[in-house]
Amino acid sequence: APRPRRPSSSARTLPRMLPLLRTLARRQPLLLPARLPPRFRQVSTTTDGGIVVEDMFGTGTNPRDPLVIVSAYTNIDILAHQPRGRNAMFGLYVYKMNTYSGALTLTSVVPGVENPAFSRYHPSQDVFYTATESILQNGTVVSYKVHPDTGVFEEVDRLDAGGASTCYLTVDRSERNMLFVNYWDSTLGTFPLDGSGVPEKKLKLIETKFDPSDAVVKRKKPSVPDSSPNDKKHDANDPDTAAQRQTSAHAHSIVLDPAQGCVAYVPDLGQDCVHQYFFDSHTGDLSHRGKIPGDKAKSGPHGPRYIEFHKQLDVAYVINEMSCGVAVFEFDPEVVEDIRNGGDTHSLRQIQSISTVPEGFPSMYNTCGRICVDPTGRYVLVSNRGHDSITVFRILAQEGGKLARVGWCHTRGNTPRHFAFDDSGRYLIAANQDSNSISVFEFNPSNGLLEHTGNDYVVPSPNFICVKTPYDNM
């Protein structure tokens, strides 16, 4: 009689592997594309018109997955600059990130907000704020309650910011005040937050301290976009456009000092300086205390955009948008007390200036976007719009926080206006504004190199990335 055939090796091994495979499946959620096929998704709407995409497998996301919130321009014709992407249907796109692979799953979208841009997650509550941009009307600060399990954003408040193109939001140490700036009018102000993080209608607004000798004439709002052929958009960097951008003050951000949280630093692109203001957290008042040149080491125009303080070292980094350089400043925390007492001594002293683009690349074809210190505190990263890259610098702690360039990583798209790390510092997400895409990179803190994860997603005109693990799930 013929001998019975033995099962193949794979047939013998599979039963023994099943318990392990089941265990891995529980630990490693099934990865689903950002846009699930219709037969595998269920779409529902929230009470305020938001859209939620539900995974019918129930395995695509984890409640502890970080939220990746992408702001997108919905009406590019009313902006100070001229994106080359397309108008987005929704203002906010909300993803959840798989921390094993860096893959994103679209969980909800938020309609009903025009041109949301700079955003901020509350320091201790699941409340999200976004500011809107327009040169034709005042900006709005929109507040949302975040539902971590679903990624649904529930609108709770809208507040008129009192000026056009609102472009930065900061919550103070007490979590009782929000500070903000309006780029187009160069106004800045504060409003209080209640115990649940919702803004109160008690806006305080001032104009940026402006010296007429620093500019030709204060710019007026056009009645319609591009109403004059001489009214250039604020995204080019040729000499004529650069000169016009500095015909008036243009406050671009507002950041509090790390020592006491009572000095507000306001980079002013139009005046090539960083203003110092004393901030009274009890009253919300801002008082001018002098201004610091954006970069004394070389000739301008510079166009200071953002300032970033190191968490351990007494050093600050200013990104100059137009001259494509980082100005490094030594920070003196003792001067903060002098400013609190009415003084106007400069608390920042420049120690270095370093370019963000290769020596052979003309800076007139580039403007800088975001600057940040990575979560390990060992690197500074900057985005280049034109060179379409992120520059990585190593922080030389033994030299007072000076920088040494590591290299560049192209962002697989055009005009990386913004980027953000996840909470762990392992992943970096870049917003390629003019190619309608976001890309995910893995960051190696041992050498400062970025490597593409293979995860790219279509988002129309993305301009800002906020990554946060919700507090309810931490």
Side-chain angles (χ1 to χ4, degrees):
R3 297 179 61 183
R5 294 184 58 188
R6 296 184 61 190
S8 65
S9 59
S10 60
R12 294 195 306 269
T13 304
L14 185 58
R16 294 198 297 269
M17 292 289 293
L18 283 175
L20 177 60
L21 292 172
R22 292 192 184 100
T23 300
L24 290 174
R26 287 194 296 269
R27 294 182 180 177
Q28 172 71 51
L30 177 65
L31 298 184
L32 297 173
R35 298 182 183 274
L36 295 174
R39 64 184 181 279
F40 295 141
R41 70 184 180 189
Q42 180 176 328
V43 179
S44 59
T45 58
T46 61
T47 54
D48 59 355
I51 296 176
V52 183
V53 181
E54 299 178 81
D55 171 17
M56 294 175 64
F57 289 121
T59 54
T61 61
N62 185 298
R64 289 187 55 80
D65 289 341
L67 293 176
V68 178
I69 307 145
V70 184
S71 303
Y73 288 131
T74 61
N75 185 356
I76 61 178
D77 291 332
I78 61 173
L79 296 170
H81 53 104
Q82 186 65 60
R84 292 163 181 81
R86 64 176 186 270
N87 287 331
M89 180 178 296
F90 305 104
L92 299 172
Y93 293 76
V94 184
Y95 296 82
K96 284 194 175 184
M97 169 178 274
N98 184 295
T99 54
Y100 293 97
S101 65
L104 306 182
T105 299
L106 182 64
T107 60
S108 66
V109 291
V110 182
V113 55
E114 186 176 53
N115 287 345
F118 192 95
S119 300
R120 179 76 65 185
Y121 210 99
H122 192 279
S124 63
Q125 302 187 61
D126 287 319
V127 179
F128 177 82
Y129 311 93
T130 191
T132 66
E133 288 187 16
S134 169
I135 60 174
L136 301 183
Q137 58 191 13
N138 285 352
T140 302
V141 179
V142 188
S143 307
Y144 298 91
K145 179 181 178 182
V146 180
H147 296 271
D149 291 340
T150 60
V152 170
F153 279 43
E154 176 187 349
E155 184 176 324
V156 294
D157 186 74
R158 290 192 178 218
L159 181 68
D160 189 309
S165 287
T166 308
C167 63
Y168 207 91
L169 305 171
T170 292
V171 179
D172 75 341
R173 281 186 171 188
S174 70
E175 301 180 6
R176 296 196 302 262
N177 298 281
M178 176 80 80
L179 296 83
F180 64 92
V181 295
N182 299 311
Y183 171 84
W184 197 251
D185 305 277
S186 200
T187 53
L188 58 151
T190 66
F191 53 81
L193 301 173
D194 67 18
S196 61
V198 177
E200 297 179 1
K201 312 295 183 181
K202 299 176 183 177
L203 190 79
K204 292 195 172 183
L205 193 70
I206 64 171
E207 286 196 5
T208 304
K209 187 72 173 179
F210 180 65
D211 185 347
S213 66
D214 290 342
V216 179
V217 63
K218 188 171 177 62
R219 174 190 291 266
K220 296 181 180 179
K221 295 183 192 177
S223 56
V224 295
D226 292 328
S227 58
S228 167
N230 297 319
D231 192 21
K232 293 181 178 290
K233 287 286 187 178
H234 283 206
D235 58 345
N237 205 21
D238 60 276
D240 289 343
T241 304
Q244 187 174 2
R245 294 186 72 184
Q246 295 196 317
T247 58
S248 64
H250 284 297
H252 216 305
S253 55
I254 184 165
V255 176
L256 294 171
D257 76 89
Q260 299 187 32
C262 67
V263 177
Y265 297 89
V266 179
D268 186 334
L269 182 146
Q271 297 190 78
D272 268 354
C273 71
V274 178
H275 298 277
Q276 291 183 150
Y277 287 86
F278 171 66
F279 166 62
D280 188 329
S281 62
H282 299 290
T283 65
D285 292 334
L286 290 162
S287 306
H288 197 257
R289 293 286 195 272
K291 58 185 182 179
I292 302 163
D295 190 342
K296 293 196 300 183
K298 58 183 181 181
S299 59
H302 298 296
R305 179 180 178 91
Y306 293 139
I307 182 170
E308 178 89 356
F309 285 89
H310 197 281
K311 291 183 178 180
Q312 286 83 39
L313 304 175
D314 289 331
V315 64
Y317 303 97
V318 172
I319 183 63
N320 285 300
E321 174 178 332
M322 298 159 70
S323 59
C324 303
V326 179
V328 183
F329 291 86
E330 179 184 62
F331 167 62
D332 188 346
E334 294 184 3
V335 174
V336 171
E337 187 63 29
D338 174 70
I339 294 172
R340 178 188 285 278
N341 295 327
D344 59 1
T345 305
H346 289 179
S347 58
L348 301 177
R349 181 181 69 86
Q350 187 173 352
I351 59 175
Q352 186 188 21
S353 177
I354 187 168
S355 176
T356 71
V357 293
E359 183 177 349
F361 190 89
S363 61
M364 69 175 291
Y365 298 113
N366 185 76
T367 58
C368 290
R370 197 197 176 193
I371 185 170
C372 82
V373 177
D374 86 298
T376 70
R378 296 161 60 188
Y379 300 92
V380 166
L381 295 91
V382 174
S383 65
N384 295 300
R385 302 173 293 179
H387 189 252
D388 295 336
S389 65
I390 291 176
T391 312
V392 182
F393 299 96
R394 186 183 299 276
I395 296 173
L396 306 176
Q398 300 303 316
E399 298 184 32
K402 288 183 179 180
L403 300 178
R405 192 181 300 107
V406 174
W408 294 269
C409 175
H410 287 288
T411 59
R412 298 178 60 84
N414 301 329
T415 317
R417 185 175 182 84
H418 198 261
F419 64 89
F421 280 98
D422 74 322
D423 293 335
S424 72
R426 178 181 177 184
Y427 296 110
L428 179 148
I429 303 99
N432 296 308
Q433 171 192 280
D434 288 349
S435 52
N436 306 301
S437 66
I438 60 174
S439 297
V440 184
F441 298 85
E442 188 166 7
F443 182 68
N444 186 338
S446 66
N447 55 25
L449 298 182
L450 287 161
E451 182 178 353
H452 185 237
T453 63
N455 298 309
D456 299 308
Y457 301 90
V458 175
V459 179
S461 298
N463 65 72
F464 194 91
I465 305 283
C466 178
V467 187
K468 187 66 182 178
T469 302
Y471 296 105
D472 279 356
N473 292 327
M474 294 180 68

